[in-house]
Amino acid sequence: MTRYVRDIMTGHPVTVEPLTSVTAVARVMRDRDLGAVLVTDGDELRGLVTDRDLVIRAVAEGGDPERTTVAGVCSDEELVTVGPDDELERAVELMREHAVRRVPVIDDGRPVGIVSLGDLALERDPESALGDISVARPDP
């Protein structure tokens, strides 16, 4: 049976505006237990920012996280996206080809979700180590 991105994606993605500070984004990620949020300008997707982006592109560079905006640290060049009606194999191909772990899901030009490597691991082999890690809640 063919499976589609909509079947496993995380819907209703958390979004932030490009001028949101790195500190504010880090707090959103902490409070909502997220590893990535979408950067949008209105309904238009501008990028994706991960917890790793915040560390590598902001903190490690010595910038002031209160003054550094997410626009300066998000992945925005050649942003890879899929649609909710794309087959899961398409998402897998794009992740491999572009060496990414998360892909925004776009419908009619608007972000509607994110599909992650963990989502795919759970779909393909829920008993795998990656599948186990993907559903585990962090210790408080």
Side-chain angles (χ1 to χ4, degrees):
M1 176 170 107
T2 302
R3 300 280 295 184
Y4 299 93
V5 169
R6 72 172 170 270
D7 298 327
I8 69 165
M9 72 180 196
T10 300
H12 309 290
V14 174
T15 63
V16 296
E17 294 288 322
L19 296 181
T20 306
S21 74
V22 165
T23 299
V25 173
R27 287 183 182 133
V28 167
M29 289 179 169
R30 177 198 64 200
D31 295 346
R32 297 207 177 174
D33 190 27
L34 300 170
V37 298
L38 299 180
V39 180
T40 57
D41 192 357
D43 282 343
E44 186 178 345
L45 179 66
R46 294 298 208 188
L48 175 122
V49 65
T50 67
D51 45 7
R52 186 173 193 277
D53 291 332
L54 297 181
V55 171
I56 301 299
R57 296 181 181 162
V59 176
E61 293 298 320
D64 179 350
E66 290 289 339
R67 290 198 157 116
T68 302
T69 66
V70 72
V73 300
C74 70
S75 301
D76 57 0
E77 292 181 24
E78 297 183 37
L79 190 61
V80 179
T81 64
V82 293
D85 296 325
D86 287 345
E87 294 182 10
L88 288 181
E89 286 305 312
R90 178 70 179 140
V92 171
E93 289 170 11
L94 287 171
M95 287 180 177
R96 279 188 182 135
E97 181 180 334
H98 297 276
V100 295
R101 294 177 176 96
R102 297 172 183 95
V103 177
V105 182
I106 304 300
D107 191 22
D108 290 328
R110 293 180 32 243
V112 295
I114 297 176
V115 64
S116 71
L117 184 61
D119 296 330
L120 291 166
L122 282 172
E123 171 62 24
R124 289 183 161 202
D125 186 6
E127 303 301 318
S128 70
L130 184 55
D132 286 345
I133 291 167
S134 297
V135 296
R137 305 303 319 156
D139 291 332

